[in-house]
Amino acid sequence: MFRLFRVPESGPVTTLTLMDSGLAAPGQNPPTQSAQRWRALPGEQDHKLTTQARQWLRSLAARDRPLALCSMYPRLANRIATAWEDPVQTEAIFDELMIDHRGGRLGFAPLVASELMRLHRLHEKRFDSNGNS
């Protein structure tokens, strides 16, 4: 399991996406070819929120909006927004974030991690209240 919260050791804080970037943390080796197989190369749409993601963001209560996630990891926010109405697909995205299948993940900055946890709780609550599990 990777660390959901990343505590900087020293120096400037570097936040890394877990699934979206081919960048390695300072002093670490770049991702292996097997790790790169898990993700597509980022396209232009991965660097900004899609129209669908902006609509999804507006549909959430102000207290539930993951603004740091959308700012720092628009590709991930776009994926969640696209899957949001499909409980199985949304749960699969959260599972990918919680379980390190590739090894070496560093985790998210605390603010982004807390937004992801809040979104996950909201996702679970939406479907628990509808009688779905």
Side-chain angles (χ1 to χ4, degrees):
M1 194 97 136
F2 71 94
R3 293 169 292 176
L4 191 55
F5 291 101
R6 179 183 48 76
V7 180
E9 293 175 13
S10 64
V13 175
T14 304
T15 48
L16 300 174
T17 175
L18 296 181
M19 301 177 342
D20 302 342
S21 172
L23 301 176
Q28 291 186 340
N29 295 327
T32 63
Q33 282 186 342
S34 63
Q36 291 173 344
R37 284 185 307 171
W38 289 86
R39 59 179 170 250
L41 292 174
E44 185 177 325
Q45 75 281 2
D46 296 325
H47 299 290
K48 61 184 179 180
L49 290 179
T50 62
T51 300
Q52 181 180 18
R54 288 191 304 272
Q55 290 171 344
W56 166 73
L57 192 59
R58 285 191 297 270
S59 75
L60 299 173
R63 69 182 178 280
D64 294 326
R65 292 178 183 159
L67 301 179
L69 172 73
C70 291
S71 173
M72 296 170 73
Y73 304 107
R75 181 177 180 166
L76 180 53
N78 291 339
R79 284 188 65 211
I80 293 171
T82 299
W84 192 248
E85 294 304 318
D86 181 336
V88 174
Q89 191 176 13
T90 302
E91 191 62 31
I93 291 171
F94 285 116
D95 286 348
E96 283 179 35
L97 297 173
M98 302 291 180
I99 301 168
D100 183 5
H101 294 285
R102 295 192 321 242
R105 289 186 170 178
L106 299 176
F108 291 100
L111 179 58
V112 174
S114 67
E115 287 180 346
L116 286 168
M117 288 186 292
R118 189 171 55 241
L119 279 175
H120 189 246
R121 284 191 305 268
L122 177 62
H123 161 71
E124 288 179 328
K125 184 178 178 181
R126 286 182 320 139
F127 290 100
D128 286 345
S129 65
N130 292 333
N132 298 329
S133 296

